[in-house]
Amino acid sequence: MPPITAAVADEKGLPDISVSVRQLFGLDTDMHVPAFSKAGEHVPDIDEAYRFDHDTTIAILAGFAHNRRVLIQGYHGTGKSTHIEQVAARLNWPCVRINLDSHISRIDLIGKDAIVLKDGKQITEYREGLLPWALQHASALVFDEYDAGRPDVMFVIQRVLEVEGKLTLLDQNRVIRPHPAFRLFATANTIGLGDTTGLYHGTQAINQGQMDRWNIVATLNYLPEDQEIDIILAKVSSFADEKSHPKGREQVRAMVALANLTRQSFMQGDISTVMSPRTVITWADNAEIFGGDLATAFRLSFLNKCDESERPAIAELYQRCMNEELGV
């Protein structure tokens, strides 16, 4: 349970405790944040190995504490959505993620009429979408890939970006007021100006009137190398066992160095696929499955996802970091 500094019991689904950010997240601040003493079914699981970025964590906590709308921007694989989830997990705050890909429509968000069977008869019944549901509950709603949303969907979201933003359901003649513990977050690869680099196809410029409604914008970059190594060793503990893996830490360091080279190449536009920390963890996991064969695990975990024309360049990066030929 989070460290409690003050109890504020409430029967309306509101946070009932206040927690110390210094104790809970290890950040050098006297900030306190409301939280729930018990975890419900929509609260994410805690990842004990997760490492929190200071500025991003403070931004997210401000969103929870002061009902600010928080947008986190950064390259994919930096852990933007996971960061929000892990903060919510430690606050016992229910969290729901929606990926705003091109298939998500206005109807998916708002709701629609559905034919259901009741008392042996088919009737038409209105089914709420995720947005009305989240608005009426204590929940943190996270829009992933915010800059890839369709225009009709974005205008629906714009209605609830104000702190007191109400949602009008025209089909139902209803106006939904947000629950006092409703919070809104989003993640994006760009910063609302569209993709000027050619790295993120499908993203688009966001209405600046809508961007202005995001109270806090944070940028999350990849972790420092030593922190990423510690995370991978915590996730794939066999590499940290000096008896079974005498060179485990050294191998993980080389793997992270390779991942960083792919990220630099990606940012420069030389390759179109990048190794995220999740990819490195998958590579380490697969290396265990294939008896410690790092080359085979690398091909199956990452290389086969890459464009064929880019594989020789990636194989060269592999040889530079791992001191062995990949054999592409």
Side-chain angles (χ1 to χ4, degrees), residues 21 25-29 51-61 83 220 223 227:
V21 172
F25 296 93
L27 302 182
D28 186 18
T29 173
R51 299 292 189 274
F52 291 94
D53 173 76
H54 180 278
D55 291 354
T56 306
T57 305
I58 290 295
I60 295 169
L61 288 171
H83 212 304
L220 182 61
L223 287 168
Q227 287 188 29

Side-chain angles (χ1 to χ4, degrees), residues 131-280:
L131 184 55
W133 180 91
L135 269 170
Q136 297 172 82
H137 292 80
S139 64
L141 181 60
V142 183
F143 287 118
D144 280 335
E145 312 299 341
Y146 186 71
D147 46 1
R150 291 163 43 167
D152 59 328
V153 170
M154 304 308 283
F155 280 110
V156 170
I157 295 171
Q158 184 164 328
R159 301 181 200 172
V160 299
L161 276 174
E162 301 289 350
V163 172
E164 299 299 329
K166 305 177 185 69
L167 179 65
T168 303
L169 299 180
L170 297 177
D171 297 340
Q172 300 296 306
N173 295 323
R174 287 174 59 202
V175 176
I176 298 177
R177 297 174 181 271
H179 188 283
F182 170 75
R183 300 292 185 266
L184 187 60
F185 300 88
T187 68
N189 296 130
T190 67
I191 202 61
L193 302 176
D195 181 22
T196 58
T197 64
L199 300 178
Y200 295 106
H201 304 293
T203 57
Q204 54 196 339
I206 298 173
N207 180 316
Q208 286 302 297
Q210 181 167 153
M211 281 300 299
D212 193 48
R213 287 172 166 80
W214 289 97
N215 312 118
I216 297 173
V217 177
T219 298
L220 182 61
N221 293 315
Y222 292 107
L223 287 168
E225 187 172 291
D226 288 339
Q227 287 188 29
E228 187 168 346
I229 290 169
D230 289 340
I231 289 174
I232 293 162
L233 290 173
K235 288 284 190 181
V236 192
S237 56
S238 59
F239 276 82
D241 187 346
E242 293 186 0
K243 291 183 179 179
S244 61
H245 259 92
K247 297 183 178 180
R249 178 174 285 273
E250 183 182 330
Q251 288 179 331
V252 169
R253 184 173 295 279
M255 293 162 75
V256 171
L258 172 57
N260 281 328
L261 286 178
T262 68
R263 293 162 192 168
Q264 292 171 19
S265 298
F266 177 78
M267 293 174 192
Q268 294 165 3
D270 296 331
I271 62 175
S272 56
T273 311
V274 66
M275 291 182 71
S276 69
R278 186 184 300 112
T279 308
V280 184

Side-chain angles (χ1 to χ4, degrees), residues 108-121:
D108 294 323
L109 275 189
I110 298 297
K112 57 186 175 182
D113 288 329
I115 298 175
V116 298
L117 196 63
K118 185 174 286 187
D119 298 326
K121 296 181 179 179

Side-chain angles (χ1 to χ4, degrees), residues 250-319:
E250 183 182 330
Q251 288 179 331
V252 169
R253 184 173 295 279
M255 293 162 75
V256 171
L258 172 57
N260 281 328
L261 286 178
T262 68
R263 293 162 192 168
Q264 292 171 19
S265 298
F266 177 78
M267 293 174 192
Q268 294 165 3
D270 296 331
I271 62 175
S272 56
T273 311
V274 66
M275 291 182 71
S276 69
R278 186 184 300 112
T279 308
V280 184
I281 292 169
T282 301
W283 179 14
D285 279 330
N286 287 343
E288 289 296 287
I289 293 173
F290 298 115
D293 187 342
L294 290 173
T296 297
F298 179 76
R299 281 194 291 269
L300 298 176
S301 305
F302 178 70
L303 189 68
N304 290 346
K305 299 176 183 177
C306 302
D307 188 286
E308 286 191 23
S309 64
E310 298 173 356
R311 292 179 189 178
I314 294 170
E316 185 178 331
L317 299 179
Y318 182 93
Q319 194 277 331

